[in-house]
Amino acid sequence: TALMDTTQIESVITEKTKAIIPVHLYGQPADMDPILAIAKKHGLLVFEDACQAHGATYKGKRTGGLADGAAFSFYPGKNLGAYGDGGAVTTNDPIVAEKIRILREHGSPRKYHHDVIGWNERMDGIQGAVLSIKLQHLDAWNNARRTHALTYQTHLPKHVQTIATQIGSESVYHLFVVRVQHREKVQQYLSTKGISTGIHYPIPIHQQPAFIHKWGTRSFPHSEKIATEIISLPMFPELTEEQIKYVCTALSECL
């Protein structure tokens, strides 16, 4: 799995910890029940990173409504994408909702009154209009992605490891990610066959310059290993079964 290991959360909670941010990575919901239980035990907030999980479900409930709040991205490449940058926060908590409204509008609860420092983060009307239309097709597009994922899983070489969806969850397969050895050679071979691939993500967060000073030499071995093996295969609603079989055949030839 590429998701947060819930058995290790409590070991890293300190007096400075304010919240837990589970990431619904690649469109697969995180295991929310133990996360919520740990947060309640320690008096922590939980905010979902649902930026790749538009329409995904965890035990019958949609991501974005599972915790204190959630962030969604509407970057054009997302399952629900605008024609430019955009995003949204969802919450069932009226206090959180009011704080978000104030922060997105220059920290202003009413015009010309600024209680806190905020930002200008109001979505453009044209983006909202585009998203309102595309939202009507989201479930159908997600269902197509699930069908494609099943086709991949049926035809991939047996020794190729996929990112499995946990029981009780429905992924929306924003990305279809597999783990392979000798990744660069695999990508080069697939490229000669006209198959584009990606790496999401090559550098773990704790090794990024922006955060490395916070973590020092601390290691996250699972993340570090996975980051050297993952490769994203083509995944979008308009894929055909023939195209997916072509990718799987090429991958089998390469490996």
Side-chain angles (χ1 to χ4, degrees):
T1 183
L3 298 178
M4 180 181 287
D5 185 345
T6 59
T7 65
Q8 297 191 44
I9 293 175
E10 285 193 282
S11 67
V12 295
I13 293 175
T14 71
E15 60 182 15
K16 294 183 178 180
T17 306
K18 298 292 189 292
I20 303 174
I21 306 177
V23 182
H24 303 314
L25 191 63
Y26 306 148
Q28 177 186 177
D31 192 6
M32 292 299 295
D33 281 352
I35 294 172
L36 292 169
I38 292 168
K40 184 177 181 180
K41 176 181 175 181
H42 293 272
L44 304 175
L45 296 171
V46 178
F47 285 91
E48 306 167 64
D49 180 340
C51 292
Q52 297 184 348
H54 313 70
T57 62
Y58 175 80
K59 297 186 177 180
K61 296 180 179 180
R62 298 264 191 175
T63 55
L66 303 172
D68 296 292
F72 284 91
S73 167
F74 300 134
Y75 180 78
K78 302 296 185 181
N79 290 39
L80 179 61
Y83 278 10
D85 282 320
V89 174
T90 57
T91 182
N92 292 318
D93 187 327
I95 296 176
V96 173
E98 181 60 19
K99 286 184 177 180
I100 294 297
R101 292 189 186 101
I102 291 172
L103 288 171
R104 76 171 182 180
E105 192 148 355
H106 295 298
S108 175
R110 61 188 189 281
K111 197 170 184 178
Y112 302 130
H113 293 262
H114 302 271
D115 292 352
V116 296
I117 296 174
W119 303 270
N120 180 14
E121 297 289 353
R122 295 163 296 193
M123 185 184 294
D124 293 338
I126 185 66
Q127 304 301 345
V130 168
L131 291 165
S132 294
I133 297 300
K134 294 179 76 174
L135 180 60
Q136 301 172 39
H137 303 277
L138 178 62
D139 284 343
W141 289 336
N142 284 343
N143 284 334
R145 288 173 180 267
R146 293 187 184 105
T147 298
H148 299 335
L150 183 60
T151 303
Y152 266 124
Q153 290 160 353
T154 301
H155 295 282
L156 279 172
K158 297 302 181 183
H159 53 284
V160 172
Q161 185 177 353
T162 61
I163 306 298
T165 301
Q166 60 186 339
I167 297 174
S169 293
E170 271 196 320
S171 176
V172 292
Y173 293 100
H174 171 62
L175 299 169
F176 189 83
V177 180
V178 298
R179 296 173 64 178
V180 297
Q181 303 297 316
H182 312 294
R183 180 173 62 195
E184 284 190 14
K185 292 183 179 179
V186 171
Q187 283 192 292
Q188 290 170 2
Y189 182 81
L190 294 181
S191 180
T192 67
K193 297 291 185 178
I195 300 168
S196 296
T197 57
I199 302 174
H200 303 86
Y201 301 89
I203 305 173
I205 289 177
H206 68 284
Q207 294 179 339
Q208 295 283 357
F211 293 100
I212 199 166
H213 68 283
K214 295 180 180 293
W215 296 105
T217 58
R218 184 170 179 178
S219 176
F220 293 79
H222 297 301
S223 294
E224 291 159 16
K225 179 173 174 55
I226 290 172
T228 67
E229 299 175 346
I230 49 176
I231 182 172
S232 300
L233 302 179
M235 172 55 78
F236 49 91
E238 296 80 10
L239 271 173
T240 66
E241 183 174 354
E242 289 71 25
Q243 288 173 321
I244 296 171
K245 288 180 179 178
Y246 177 78
V247 173
C248 293
T249 298
L251 190 58
S252 181
E253 292 169 356
C254 175
L255 297 177

